[in-house]
Amino acid sequence: MSPSPVSYRLAALPALVDPWLQEVNRLWSVTEVRARIVSIREEAEDFRTFVLAPNRHWPGHRAGQFVPVAAVVDGVRTERCYSISSAPTHARRTFEISVRRVREPRDGVLSTYLHTQARVGDVLRLGRPAGDFVVPEGFAGKLLLVSGGSGITPVLSIARDLAARRRLRDVVFVHAARSEAAVPQAIRQELEALPFAGVHFLVGPLSPGRLAEIVPDRHMYSRVYLCGPAPMMERFVGDVGGIPAGVLVTERFHGGPVPPRRGEGEVTPVKVDLGRGRVVAVATTPSLLEALEAAGERPRYGCRQGICNSCRCEKRSGIVEDLRNGKRSGPYAEEIRLCTSRAVSDLELNLGDVR
Amino acid sequence: MTKEALKRDSSRTLNAGEMAAFGAELDALRDAVVRDLGAKDLAHLRRIQTAKRRLEGAGRLLLHVGIGPLSFLGGVGMLAAAKILDNMEIGHNVMHGQYDWTKEPDLAGNRFEWDNVCAGEDWRHSHNFEHHTFTNIVGKDRDIGYALLRVTPEQPWNLSHFIQPISAVGLAFVFQWGVAIHDLRLDETLEGRQTWRELFARAKPFLRKAAGRLAKDYLFFPALALGNAPRVLLGNLLANVVRNLWTFAVIFCGHFPEGVQMYPDPSEPESRGAWYLHQLNGSANLEGGALFHVMTGHLSHQIEHHLFPDLPASRYPELAPKVRELCTRYGQVYHTGSLPRQLASVFGKIVKYALPPPSTAPGVEGVTV
């Protein structure tokens, strides 16, 4: 369906008006959430907090939610989700994200930019807050908050929210840092000064066994919130150390598990999820366009040789290889050309209006 | 034409091995630029967008509140410059997907719209796909003379071509409309190869787009100007005409000057090397300074654009000497000249091919004169 002329015009309105607004003030926009960095705090080694002052489109967040953050890094718009670390009631509508610098070329693009190039006064483009890692309204039971590394951020937001509402008596907070230098000292002092049932800052990896030593009565908690790096989360999968199922609430970050890559000559088909429950198995060679066609799909195309851009579509997740230079994509959402890409892992694609 | 002149003006035929090597060298040039793309490329486009916006704002302001002929001409000039930047350095290039790598939602090639009555969707089909894939292939590239003019002896002659020196000038004045209805295949309907119903369905994006553009320049802004409405309406009309004349001149100089080659239908997909060779010999450059290049949307580097349609156009000037050096090594002619010279050459052809071909004319294989 083509949009009606009216919705077509209205959809174009922000693109027309926003550049003029932003000549006056870079925070202004008709629809987009934007925020100015008003201060930056060092929390620990490679771990910084950014205090953000958003424009009027910011709807506010619930403790434990994350926000998509975008910046142009070396000419490329780069977007990642960061958990909000401040409580929802933060003064004057500013809020905070705390970002661990990921020292890896592909995954660390935005965090490295935020740590090395972002300055106070810069404007970041944001999405709307989202996520289910939240404490239900009216929840009154015992709470165990467990985090590792930068996984502290959503848990910290929950802890600060509970502190603001004087609901700390039944709450235990456990955090594991990878080293002494990685312990966020200011946060530690802030939490230790609050009347929690327990606050534990540890150094070294956290396992279900270690958690059992620190919190022997963990099965007494009616909710356990757990957020940490992938290896820690994996240790808790299937063995939550005596925590009954249905009690554990987890949050993953860094885009979830990376799909396994396939070898060069491998011809095993990969699964391509086209949305709305449509999943097809396609070959990894020669091109995604031909593989999808062989699987009975009819994506839009033109020249079939990388000239005309007609077959461009959104890849929501998964890894593809550019057939022209052998370069592999990241696992994140981006746009690709079907005729010059081949699947390297399972994919999620949005083919739009398929003919 | 003497045999010697023919030799100098025509490109050497490459064997399959040379062709592959030629293609590989061009691929390497492309890859080097792709690896180097970054902040400065996006900054260039953003600067052009800002310039366009300010020119349009200032131009419209002069037309709306100015008094007298000087502010009128200034307003027309600025608005025309804004429309030219919008259509060429911004619109044409963004719609090729030259800035898709930035992942900026407002620069997505497959969704971008420009200040032109040609709907982006139609343009992407007739230009990005048909023209760039089948450049100068007679019978497949409908950009050859825009299905109206006969610019090469390979095109069959008909009666309408008698008046083509006049129709060409007419087309230049309304060029955006020519481009806009190009993908509708009106000629096919007239010849009975497309039904009127199909034509109407095909025309929908164009009708919607044209209605919007007409309303903006000839209803909304004149109404906004109140008493100055006639001045604003005329100014907007003139700005559109200036843009039409300029884009016509640049685009016709890209593929139709003397020496540029036309091709028969290859009937099967070309190899990468053959496609590169075909693009090179089917295009011609224009010489000028940096501002001239920007105002043509870098289509002054038509050759580099046809070799690398999805590289940011501002990279063509740095690629040009490398492509030229390649041409010298592979014995290929690099067609280039000034705008007046190439324009004269194109008009010479339009006049020449207005007349029916003499029935006994001997064809020179592979070379078009």
Side-chain angles (χ1 to χ4, degrees):
Chain A
M1 273 300 286
S2 54
S4 77
V6 174
S7 68
Y8 173 76
R9 304 252 141 252
L10 287 182
L13 197 65
L16 278 178
V17 180
D18 274 7
W20 285 108
L21 292 178
Q22 282 152 25
E23 290 227 6
V24 183
N25 185 329
R26 282 183 301 143
L27 267 188
W28 292 355
S29 166
V30 179
T31 52
E32 195 180 31
V33 182
R34 294 179 152 238
R36 192 184 301 279
I37 302 175
V38 291
S39 70
I40 301 175
R41 270 197 323 266
E42 272 327 305
E43 300 283 12
E45 182 185 62
D46 279 352
F47 194 48
R48 279 183 166 192
T49 292
F50 297 82
V51 182
L52 304 178
N55 63 15
R56 293 184 170 274
H57 296 299
W58 178 247
H61 74 282
R62 293 182 66 188
Q65 287 193 310
F66 58 84
V67 57
V69 176
V72 176
V73 183
D74 205 13
V76 181
R77 182 192 164 100
T78 311
E79 188 175 309
R80 296 284 186 274
C81 292
Y82 292 112
S83 290
I84 298 163
S85 50
S86 57
T89 51
H90 205 284
R92 284 185 317 194
R93 282 169 53 89
T94 61
F95 66 95
E96 302 177 3
I97 55 171
S98 301
V99 179
R100 151 106 43 221
R101 180 172 177 185
V102 178
R103 290 190 179 267
E104 210 214 293
R106 188 133 67 192
D107 286 345
V109 176
L110 190 59
S111 69
T112 300
Y113 169 84
L114 289 172
H115 274 254
T116 58
Q117 283 171 271
R119 300 279 174 268
V120 168
D122 286 0
V123 169
L124 298 173
R125 293 183 281 185
L126 307 180
R128 284 166 201 282
D132 303 322
F133 192 70
V134 293
V135 179
E137 294 285 345
F139 176 82
K142 284 175 70 129
L143 268 180
L144 176 55
L145 304 178
V146 184
S147 60
S150 56
I152 193 174
T153 49
V155 180
L156 187 58
S157 176
I158 293 172
R160 284 171 166 163
D161 181 37
L162 295 171
R165 295 195 275 132
R166 304 181 191 286
R167 276 254 310 101
L168 293 181
R169 213 159 32 85
D170 289 334
V171 181
V172 169
F173 184 98
V174 180
H175 175 72
R178 66 181 170 200
S179 69
E180 203 60 55
V183 178
Q185 294 300 344
I187 293 171
R188 178 183 191 165
Q189 283 162 19
E190 174 193 340
L191 296 186
E192 283 177 347
L194 292 170
F196 279 98
V199 173
H200 307 271
F201 277 82
L202 326 168
V203 172
L206 188 66
S207 59
R210 197 164 176 210
L211 183 65
E213 283 169 26
I214 299 159
V215 193
D217 61 342
R218 71 211 163 277
H219 52 276
M220 299 296 291
Y221 291 81
S222 39
R223 279 282 195 290
V224 176
Y225 284 79
L226 180 72
C227 181
M232 175 182 135
M233 301 299 278
E234 271 157 30
R235 282 194 292 276
F236 281 86
V237 170
D239 172 18
V240 285
I243 299 168
V247 164
L248 186 70
V249 184
T250 62
E251 175 81 325
R252 285 184 180 280
F253 48 101
H254 292 307
V258 173
R261 293 184 179 186
R262 311 261 167 169
E264 273 319 304
E266 211 171 327
V267 287
T268 326
V270 294
K271 281 203 295 278
V272 176
D273 186 341
L274 300 168
R276 298 200 191 103
R278 226 148 35 96
V279 180
V280 293
V282 308
T284 53
T285 53
S287 70
L288 249 177
L289 179 59
E290 286 165 81
L292 281 166
E293 286 174 341
E297 296 298 321
R298 291 288 170 267
R300 288 171 65 92
Y301 67 86
C303 68
R304 311 181 70 92
Q305 45 185 310
I307 304 164
C308 75
N309 219 26
S310 302
C311 61
R312 179 163 290 268
C313 71
E314 185 195 4
K315 179 202 78 180
R316 294 201 165 122
S317 71
I319 300 167
V320 294
E321 182 183 284
D322 188 330
L323 290 165
R324 290 175 299 183
N325 54 20
K327 222 178 116 184
R328 292 200 170 178
S329 74
Y332 306 106
E334 63 186 325
E335 296 203 331
I336 58 165
R337 290 185 200 188
L338 296 175
C339 73
T340 56
S341 304
R342 73 176 191 93
V344 183
S345 74
D346 289 350
L347 303 172
E348 278 179 275
L349 297 180
N350 175 14
L351 297 183
D353 47 342
V354 178
R355 282 192 288 215
Chain B
M1 193 178 276
T2 66
K3 257 208 166 124
E4 235 141 77
L6 201 67
K7 215 174 175 184
R8 197 179 58 238
D9 285 353
S10 61
S11 293
R12 191 158 67 79
T13 308
L14 302 186
N15 63 37
E18 287 176 313
M19 220 184 269
F22 181 72
E25 291 206 45
L26 283 167
D27 275 341
L29 288 182
R30 181 182 188 282
D31 284 348
V33 172
V34 168
R35 275 196 301 276
D36 190 48
L37 290 177
K40 61 183 182 300
D41 296 279
L42 182 60
H44 166 78
L45 189 76
R46 294 301 189 198
R47 270 198 305 277
I48 299 291
Q49 286 184 308
T50 302
K52 176 239 150 176
R53 211 165 51 235
R54 290 177 181 175
L55 278 169
E56 181 177 355
R60 290 201 189 274
L61 201 67
L62 279 181
L63 288 177
H64 280 241
V65 302
I67 302 161
L70 269 184
S71 67
F72 179 74
L73 288 179
V76 169
M78 286 191 208
L79 189 54
K83 282 175 181 278
I84 286 168
L85 286 177
D86 177 273
N87 287 182
M88 305 193 88
E89 185 71 352
I90 304 168
H92 166 264
N93 292 342
V94 169
M95 280 154 72
H96 262 295
Q98 292 183 358
Y99 293 90
D100 281 352
W101 58 273
T102 66
K103 298 178 186 170
E104 287 277 47
D106 63 322
L107 300 182
N110 52 0
R111 288 189 294 274
F112 196 84
E113 273 298 340
W114 54 359
D115 182 1
N116 191 298
V117 293
C118 177
E121 203 48 47
D122 292 342
W123 174 260
R124 280 181 273 271
H125 180 258
S126 70
H127 180 84
N128 290 5
F129 168 48
E130 285 191 338
H131 170 61
H132 273 272
T133 309
F134 308 115
T135 313
N136 281 18
I137 292 176
V138 180
K140 274 203 159 173
D141 179 5
R142 300 177 64 257
D143 277 20
I144 301 175
Y146 278 79
L148 177 71
L149 309 175
R150 182 167 176 261
V151 291
T152 171
E154 283 91 337
Q155 285 173 285
W157 182 87
N158 67 46
L159 260 176
S160 74
H161 293 140
F162 259 134
I163 56 155
Q164 72 172 12
I166 298 163
S167 40
V169 174
L171 176 63
F173 275 88
V174 297
F175 192 51
Q176 67 161 339
W177 295 93
V179 169
I181 62 169
H182 191 48
D183 201 43
L184 309 186
R185 300 164 181 268
L186 200 59
D187 50 330
E188 291 185 12
T189 297
L190 295 177
E191 289 164 17
R193 285 183 288 143
Q194 174 178 251
T195 66
W196 287 96
R197 186 184 291 271
E198 281 166 345
L199 175 71
F200 183 73
R202 212 185 260 274
K204 268 188 183 166
F206 156 68
L207 293 174
R208 192 163 54 224
K209 187 73 196 291
R213 293 294 96 180
L214 288 174
K216 184 185 176 193
D217 276 345
Y218 304 120
L219 287 176
F220 175 73
F221 280 116
L224 205 64
L226 302 173
N228 244 351
R231 176 183 153 107
V232 166
L233 194 141
L234 185 65
N236 292 351
L237 180 70
L238 285 179
N240 279 322
V241 167
V242 170
R243 183 268 323 273
N244 288 347
L245 293 172
W246 177 252
T247 48
F248 173 91
V250 170
I251 288 166
F252 268 62
C253 286
H255 297 291
F256 313 135
E258 212 64 53
V260 174
Q261 226 166 295
M262 294 289 160
Y263 290 83
D265 193 339
S267 73
E268 57 184 79
E270 299 173 291
S271 72
R272 186 89 178 137
W275 180 80
Y276 270 136
L277 211 57
H278 156 193
Q279 298 301 327
L280 170 72
N281 285 296
S283 310
N285 280 9
L286 294 170
E287 286 154 9
L291 182 65
F292 174 78
H293 293 321
V294 167
M295 293 311 281
T296 65
H298 287 92
L299 290 185
S300 51
H301 291 81
Q302 192 74 244
I303 293 175
E304 288 72 23
H305 174 55
H306 266 265
L307 295 173
F308 312 112
D310 59 353
L311 289 185
S314 56
R315 294 296 191 127
Y316 297 155
E318 71 183 52
L319 281 163
K322 295 171 188 165
V323 172
R324 226 173 157 155
E325 184 270 331
L326 259 178
C327 288
T328 314
R329 274 196 284 126
Y330 285 85
Q332 301 300 304
V333 179
Y334 187 91
H335 299 286
T336 180
S338 69
L339 180 65
R341 203 194 96 179
Q342 300 293 71
L343 208 52
S345 165
V346 171
F347 263 91
K349 274 174 128 184
I350 287 172
V351 171
K352 184 173 165 189
Y353 297 122
L355 300 173
S359 50
T360 54
V364 183
E365 202 152 326
V367 180
T368 302
V369 286

